[in-house]
Amino acid sequence: MRAQEPGRPDAEERRLTTREAAELLGVKPETVYAYVSRGQLGSRRTPGGRGSTFDAEEVRALARRNRRDGGGPAASAAGQELTVRTRLTLIESDRYYYRGVDAAELAAHHTYEEVVEWFWTGQLRPGTAFSAPEPSVTAARRAVDALPEHAGPTDRLRVAAIAAAVADPLRFDLSEGAVLGTARILIPTLVAALPPVLRDGDDRAPIAHRLWTRLSGREADEPTLRALDAALCLLVDHDLAASTLAVRVAASARAHAYAAVSAGLGVIEGPLHGAAGGLAHRMLMEVLELGSAGPVVAEELRAGRRIPGLGHRLYPGEDPRARALFALLEDIPRAAPALAAARDIQATAARHTPLHANVDLALAVLTASSGMASTAAETIFAVARTAGWIAHALEEYGERPLRMRPSGLYSGPRPPRPLPE
C-alpha cells in the first residue's frame, strides 16, 4: 500500500498522476484522458496547470469495472455508456432526490420557485419569485408572434429563448451568479412569450399561475393550481435524460445558458421524450369518448405502438412522480373521469404486460381534466425542465471544456479507395 504523506489525514489519500493512473488501469496515458472525456473518470488540474491528478479510489473502481466487464480497458472506453458525475439528482429504489432530498416531498411542501432555488443553490428561499425585465419579454413576444399559427409550443419556447438571448448583452458571462441571474429571467420570459388562451395573467404571480393562463381557458381553482405547481416541481430534473445530455454537450462547448436551453428544447420534440405526455393525453381523450380503454389499447397494440403513459426504464415499480401527482388529482372532483380512464388503461394493459403508470399519464389526467390542449404537457415539461437544464449547464461549466467528445467507431469501407468516377 502507498504510504500516507506526512501531515495529511488518513482519510485523504494522495492523488495519482496521469502516469500512475495509467499504470493502475493498464492503459496508455492518452487512454486515461479518453476516460475523462467520456465522463468515466474525474480529473483535477495540478497547480500551475501542468498535467492532471486523479482520485485513487475512483481509478481503482474503474479498473475493477474494466476487469468485471471482461472487455479490457480499450473496449470499456469505447463501448460503455457515457456516464457523467453530478451532484444534482439521484434515482434509486423507485424514488428520486434533488441534492439528497426526496423530490416528491419537496414538491408537496414548496412552490416551484422554491424547489428550483434549492436545486440551483442548495439553499431554500421561502417566498422566492421570478420576474423578467420588459426588454426580454418584449423581444420574446415579438419573435413568437411572428410564427405561423400552426407552430407548436416547443417552437415558440425555442424562438423565445433565442430572442431573449439577443436582448441580453451579458449572455456570454458564464460565472455562476450571472448564469443564475439569466435563469431567473429566462423562465418567466418563456412563460410570458406564450400567447394567453383566455386572458393575460399577473406578471407578479407564481410561475404556475402565469402558466395556467397560457394553457387553459377555464378559471383556475386552488387545488388544480397546486397540482400544476407540483407537476412543475416534479419535472425539474431526472438525471441524464436525452435533453439534459444535449444541454451538457452545449455547455461543454461553452455555449451560453440560452443556447444550452435551446439545445434541450430541440431534443424534447421527440415522441419518446417531452412529447410523450401529449400522446398519453390523446389516448386518454379517446378512452373518455368511447367509455372503455379496451378498444383504444387494442388499436395501439395492433399498430405496433407501445402504450403511452405506462412503464419507465428507471423505475421497476411505480414512477414516484406519477404517484405524487395522482394523489393531488384525487382531490379535484372534475379530474375524476380522467382518473378513472387512466386506471382503466392501466388495468387493461396489465392483462398483456404489467406496467405502472408513469408521469406522462399523470400529466395527461391533469391536462385533460383542465381543458388544456394535448400539447400542454409538452409545455409544462419544457418550462419545468429549463430549471434543471440550467443547473446541469452550470455543473458542466465547471468541468474541462469540450470533454463531451466521444470517438466514432468507424464501420465503413477501409481506405485507400480510388476517387469516385
Side-chain angles (χ1 to χ4, degrees):
M1 293 183 60
R2 193 185 310 277
Q4 201 70 35
E5 287 185 36
R8 293 178 65 87
D10 292 341
E12 188 177 346
E13 187 173 3
R14 186 178 70 82
R15 294 177 64 83
L16 304 179
T17 65
T18 302
R19 182 181 59 77
E20 291 169 334
E23 289 176 355
L24 190 56
L25 290 164
V27 299
K28 297 178 181 179
E30 51 265 32
T31 305
V32 174
Y33 290 105
Y35 285 124
V36 174
S37 70
R38 290 171 175 82
Q40 294 174 275
L41 192 62
S43 67
R44 185 187 301 167
R45 300 295 293 179
T46 55
R50 297 181 178 180
S52 300
T53 62
F54 304 87
D55 180 88
E57 182 51 42
E58 189 178 15
V59 173
R60 284 193 286 268
L62 179 57
R64 288 193 296 270
R65 287 201 302 272
N66 287 350
R67 290 193 295 270
R68 183 186 65 228
D69 294 339
S76 174
Q80 285 188 356
E81 289 186 5
L82 177 69
T83 56
V84 177
R85 292 187 304 167
T86 176
R87 298 175 60 85
L88 298 172
T89 300
L90 171 67
I91 299 174
E92 65 177 14
S93 304
D94 288 340
R95 298 175 73 180
Y96 73 124
Y97 307 84
Y98 294 158
R99 293 184 179 272
V101 178
D102 188 291
E105 286 295 314
L106 281 170
H109 294 93
H110 297 282
T111 67
Y112 171 68
E113 290 89 332
E114 290 169 350
V115 170
V116 166
E117 284 290 344
W118 165 259
F119 195 73
W120 286 339
T121 67
Q123 298 179 2
L124 199 60
R125 296 189 173 96
T128 189
F130 298 155
S131 60
E134 189 59 33
S136 177
V137 173
T138 300
R141 282 179 173 167
R142 284 176 178 170
V144 169
D145 289 344
L147 293 173
E149 289 185 9
H150 63 265
T154 309
D155 297 321
R156 294 189 176 100
L157 292 171
R158 194 160 57 241
V159 167
I162 294 169
V166 175
D168 184 1
L170 304 179
R171 62 188 180 277
F172 295 107
D173 186 346
L174 303 186
S175 63
E176 181 176 348
V179 172
L180 289 180
T182 292
R184 296 182 184 106
I185 289 172
L186 178 56
I187 291 174
T189 297
L190 293 178
V191 175
L194 295 171
V197 176
L198 184 62
R199 56 177 174 76
D200 213 343
D202 182 357
D203 288 341
R204 295 165 297 179
I207 291 294
H209 295 218
R210 283 178 259 177
L211 184 59
W212 176 272
T213 65
R214 266 70 185 168
L215 299 176
S216 177
R218 297 178 181 175
E219 289 297 325
D221 58 74
E222 191 54 39
T224 311
L225 284 174
R226 179 68 195 114
L228 177 57
D229 186 79
L232 292 170
C233 296
L234 294 165
L235 292 168
V236 164
D237 189 49
H238 208 231
D239 195 36
L240 262 289
S243 57
T244 305
L245 181 58
V247 168
R248 293 196 75 128
V249 170
S252 178
R254 296 305 182 256
H256 56 69
Y258 297 95
V261 167
S262 184
L265 288 168
V267 173
I268 68 167
E269 284 201 278
L272 301 182
H273 195 15
L279 300 177
H281 177 111
R282 286 188 283 273
M283 179 183 65
L284 193 67
M285 295 302 289
E286 286 186 55
V287 174
L288 287 168
E289 182 180 351
L290 294 175
S292 172
V296 178
V297 170
E299 185 57 34
E300 292 290 322
L301 295 174
R302 181 182 182 183
R305 295 188 293 263
R306 64 189 298 269
I307 302 168
L310 297 180
H312 196 289
R313 63 187 294 266
L314 297 182
Y315 299 114
E318 191 175 12
D319 184 336
R321 301 168 300 173
R323 181 172 58 243
L325 194 48
F326 278 136
L328 291 170
L329 291 166
E330 293 279 359
D331 295 330
I332 303 172
R334 68 182 179 195
L339 276 169
R343 293 192 190 100
D344 192 9
I345 291 169
Q346 187 174 353
T348 302
R351 302 173 206 163
H352 176 70
T353 304
L355 290 172
H356 293 280
N358 63 34
V359 73
D360 297 315
L361 190 59
L363 274 178
V365 172
L366 171 62
T367 56
S369 62
S370 301
M372 299 177 183
S374 62
T375 55
E378 186 176 340
T379 305
I380 295 168
F381 181 96
V383 171
R385 191 57 58 88
T386 296
W389 292 336
I390 292 290
H392 279 274
L394 267 175
E395 274 200 335
E396 197 57 43
Y397 291 149
E399 299 287 351
R400 182 173 59 83
L402 293 174
R403 72 187 184 117
M404 297 286 186
R405 176 60 171 88
S407 299
L409 187 61
Y410 180 72
S411 59
R414 295 297 305 171
R417 300 185 70 201
L419 287 172
E421 295 292 338

